Amino acid sequence: MSVFATLVEQVADLLQPLFHASAAAAAIVLITALVRLLVHPLSRASARGQRARAALRPRVAALREKHGRDPEKYQKALLELHAREKVSPLAGCLPGLLQIPAFVLLYHLFSSTTIGGDPNGLLDHRLFGAPLGHRYADALGDGGVFGAQGLVHLALFVVVAAVATFNYRRTKRTAAAGLPEAGAEQQIPGLGAVSAFMPFLSYFTLVTVALVPLAAALYVVTSTTWSAVERAVLYP
């Protein structure tokens, strides 16, 4: 915690001449972008894996037809096919999992009043008047929806809603077209039912942004926006 707090403070000091009182918020956005940049090679590998899985669809369909009445044999044959072709149906989860520690650190960092026994100075930082340690409920209690803090959160909600709508339309389009990005449910037994809810998952980010401290919300908004752009590039 103290090491991460020092990192945020040092990056904020570097950005202070450009962003002034919002330097810590800018530092969080920059650190988030750096985390996503480090994970990007895994995202590219995941995209290659999804294209490889798409190439296996005819063989998967043949296995389904052959073992359609015996789910256990179908699953075993499917796993053997993936092993022979060196394709992992769950490889796409790794980039998302590796981002969780940074989010958890930010959440706890801006939820704690002390760090290493000393007062948490990061809680004094603001974004356009909104404290980085406050949640949306705090903003509603201090000025309401259209107060200074409420407007900052409202701007984040607008960005998240726009990204979620983009992801929703893209997911529906790729599913309808049968593109590699949408083909995992055809190769993982039991995932088909889950895939029906996938287009709506992005909207749950609105709940996260409303419940976590503003600093963690900035991480979520930056990361989800990066993800939308990244997927548009990797899955044209």
Side-chain angles (χ1 to χ4, degrees):
M1 286 275 288
S2 58
V3 173
F4 194 66
T6 301
L7 173 63
V8 174
E9 288 281 14
Q10 289 178 345
V11 176
D13 289 341
L14 292 175
L15 298 177
Q16 201 278 332
L18 289 175
F19 296 96
H20 307 293
S22 298
I28 291 169
V29 172
L30 180 59
I31 289 171
T32 305
L34 290 175
V35 170
R36 294 307 309 263
L37 191 62
L38 290 173
V39 176
H40 181 68
L42 293 177
S43 298
R44 294 183 67 87
S46 175
R48 290 194 297 269
Q50 290 198 28
R51 286 192 287 270
R53 289 194 297 274
L56 293 178
R57 284 184 195 170
R59 297 164 68 180
V60 171
L63 289 176
R64 188 183 297 112
E65 183 177 354
K66 181 178 180 180
H67 303 294
R69 296 184 179 181
D70 192 333
E72 291 186 4
K73 283 187 177 180
Y74 169 62
Q75 185 169 0
K76 181 180 179 181
L78 185 62
L79 292 175
E80 290 174 351
L81 174 63
H82 285 153
R84 286 196 305 271
E85 300 297 331
K86 298 180 180 179
V87 171
S88 171
L90 300 178
C93 301
L94 189 57
L97 291 175
L98 291 178
Q99 298 168 49
I100 293 177
F103 170 78
V104 172
L105 275 172
L106 270 176
Y107 178 86
H108 286 291
L109 189 60
F110 285 88
S111 298
S112 304
T113 56
T114 60
I115 299 177
D118 297 321
N120 186 356
L122 288 173
L123 298 181
D124 297 329
H125 290 280
R126 296 171 176 262
L127 173 62
F128 300 120
L132 294 181
H134 279 197
R135 293 166 170 79
Y136 186 51
D138 300 316
L140 293 178
D142 186 6
V145 175
F146 298 106
Q149 294 188 46
L151 288 175
V152 172
H153 285 84
L154 189 60
L156 295 184
F157 292 149
V158 170
V159 174
V160 170
V163 172
T165 301
F166 173 84
N167 288 337
Y168 172 82
R169 292 177 176 175
R170 181 175 177 82
T171 303
K172 295 288 286 186
R173 186 175 69 251
T174 53
L179 297 178
E181 185 180 3
E185 70 277 3
Q186 299 179 15
Q187 301 189 40
I188 305 177
L191 193 60
V194 177
S195 66
F197 298 97
M198 291 297 289
F200 302 98
L201 291 182
S202 294
Y203 289 101
F204 285 98
T205 307
L206 287 165
V207 179
T208 303
V209 170
L211 296 179
V212 301
L214 180 57
L218 282 173
Y219 180 92
V220 171
V221 172
T222 304
S223 185
T224 53
T225 303
W226 181 292
S227 292
V229 175
E230 185 177 64
R231 294 188 75 83
V233 172
L234 295 178
Y235 304 94

